[in-house]
Amino acid sequence: MLKSSVRVASLAALCLWILPDLAQAAEVRLTAPDAGDGFADRLRSASLTITTAAQQEATAQDLLAAAQSDYGRLIGVLYAEGFYGGVIRILVDGQEAASIPPLRAPSDIRQIDITVERNAPFVFSTARVAPLAPKTKLPPEFVTGNRAKGDLIGDATRSSIAAWRTTGHAKALVSEQTIIADHAASTLSADIQLDPGPRLHFGELLLAEESRESRVRPDRIRDIAGLPKGRKFSPEELDNAATRLRRSGAFRSVVMIEEDRPNPDGSLDITARVTDAPPRRLGFGVELASLEGLTLSGFWLHRNLFGGAERLRLDAMIGGIGGDSGGEDYRLGARYDRPATFHPDTGLFLEARIEGNDEPDYTESKVEVGGGFTRVFSDELRGEAGIAYRYSDIDDDLGRRELQHLLFPASLTWDKRDDALNATSGLFLEVSLTPFIGLDQRSGDGARIFADARHYRSFGAGDRYTLAGRAQIGSVAGPSIGEIPADMLFYSGGAGTVRGQDYQSLGVDIAPGVRVGGRAFVGFSGEFRASVTDKIQGVAFVDTGFVGQDALGTGRGDWHSGAGIGARYFTPVGPIRVDIATPLGDRAGEDLELYIGIGQAF
C-alpha cells in the first residue's frame, strides 16, 4: 500500500512539473479588417508575438515582451505601405499590453489578440530630395499624389546619396529632413535635404591594427587590392578592391572601411580589415560508373606559399579502378598561382602535369609543362592564356609514336550561374582555343577549339522545377589524325558526354580495323529536375552526341543517344548524384549504366 502511494505522489509531482510549461501555450489571434490576405501575411511575418508563441520554451515574460515590441514592428509595416493613421491594439488576456508593467508580467498567458486597423492610406503632398547628382534615378513611385509608402522615402534618399558617392562625393549625407503627416487631409510631406560634401579621391590603403598580424605581407595586400590612389573616389572601385582580396583565397574575411574625415588634400584613406584563412586545405573526390569503374581524386592546397598570397595546388587522380573501359588512368599535377602580377586583375601561373590514359582505343602517356597569365575582366568574365611544352607517347590502331608540341592555350569563361555545383538559373559559357606547333617531323601544326554552353531556368512554386540544357562543340583543324595527340581528338559516350552509352564508344573508323577519335564533336544534353523534398531531387535526362572524321563534321561521322533518370541528395558540399541510363535505339532498355558522383551532371 505504501508503495502505491509513492507512485501516485510521484505521478502528481511529474504533472505539476509539466503543467507550468503547458500553461504557457498561448493562443495568438491577429485580425486586420479590410486589409486583404497579402497585407495580413506581412503583419504576421513581422509579429514577434506569433513567432514567440510558436516556441515551446517561451515563458509568459517572453510573450509579454514580444507583445509590447509588436507595436513598433507593426507600425513599421503600416508606415511602409503608406498608412500613417492606423490603430494597433494588442490585448493580453483582455488587457492592453502597453499598460502592463514589464516587471509584473502575469504568470500565465492564455490568449493574445492583435487588431490592426489601417484606416485611409496617405498620399505624397511633397516628395522631394535635393540637391540631386547628375543622372540620379529616384524610385518612379516617389512623386506627389502617389501612395506615401515609407519605404519609398528611404529608397529615394539612399539612391540619391549613392548617386553622389558615385560622382566622388564620398561623404554625402542627409543634412535636414522634414516629414509631416496631415491626418485631416491624409497626406504626407517628405522634404529631404542633402549635403554632398567635397569631391574626394582615393588616398592610402591602411591596415587595421589586427590586420598587421596577417601572414600576407602589407605590400602584397596593397598590390592585390589595387586601390587606385589619386583617382576619384568610387564605391565600385572600393568594392573591386575588396573582391580582389577575397578572390585571392588567402583571407577568410575582408572589410574595407572609409575614414571618417578626408585629408586636407581632398584624399580619403581606406582601412582594410582582413582575417587570414587557414593556409592549407585538403580535398577529395569520388565518382563511380558501372562501366568506367571507380575514380578517386584529391588535392592539397597552400594559400600563402611565400607570404604574398601565392597558391600552390597539388592534384592526384586515379581512375578506371575495377572498370571495363580500358585500364587504369592516372594524373599528377602541380600549379602555382601568383595574384596581382603586373596588374591587380592579372595573375601569373606555372603548371606541370604527368598523365597516363589507358582508354578503350588507345593508351597515351604525356608530360606537359607551361605557364601563362590569368585575367579577371568582371565578376562574370575571366580569361587565361599561356604557352606549354607537351610530350606524348601514344599507342593506338595507327601504331606506336612519340609526338612533341608547343601549345598556346587560351580560354574565356563567362559564368552567370547562381550556384556552380547546383545551378538553378543563369548561363555558363566557356570557349577554349589551343593552337599548336609540331616540334618534330611526326608532329603536325594546327588548332583545337572547344565550346561548352549551359543554360538553367527554374519555375513553379519556390522554383521547384528546373530545366537545364547543355551544348558542346569541338573541332581540331590542321594536321592528319596521326599527327595529333590522341586525347586532343574527340570520343563520345560516358558520364561527360552521353550517359547510357559505353565510355568512349563512339569514334571514327578511318580504315578496316583502324578506329580513332574524331576531329569534330557535337553534344547536347537536357535535364528536368524536380524537388521532391528540401533534400531530395528527382531528375530525368536525355543526351546525344556526334563524332565526325573531318574538322567541320561534314564527312564520315555518326550519332548516338542515351536517356535515363536519377536522384540528387543535397549535402553541405553539394548534391550527391545517382543516375541510371540506357542507350536509345536498338539496345534501349537492355543495357543499363550507373553513375554516382558529387555535383550535378552539368
Side-chain angles (χ1 to χ4, degrees), residues 407-423:
L407 312 177
F408 302 91
S411 64
L412 277 175
T413 303
W414 186 53
D415 191 349
K416 291 183 69 67
R417 294 174 295 179
D418 59 341
D419 186 332
L421 286 178
N422 181 35

Side-chain angles (χ1 to χ4, degrees), residues 416-445:
K416 291 183 69 67
R417 294 174 295 179
D418 59 341
D419 186 332
L421 286 178
N422 181 35
T424 59
S425 65
L427 294 166
F428 174 87
L429 176 63
E430 184 172 53
V431 179
S432 61
L433 173 64
T434 306
F436 53 88
I437 298 174
L439 299 179
D440 54 33
Q441 292 182 348
R442 302 194 65 178
S443 308
D445 303 341

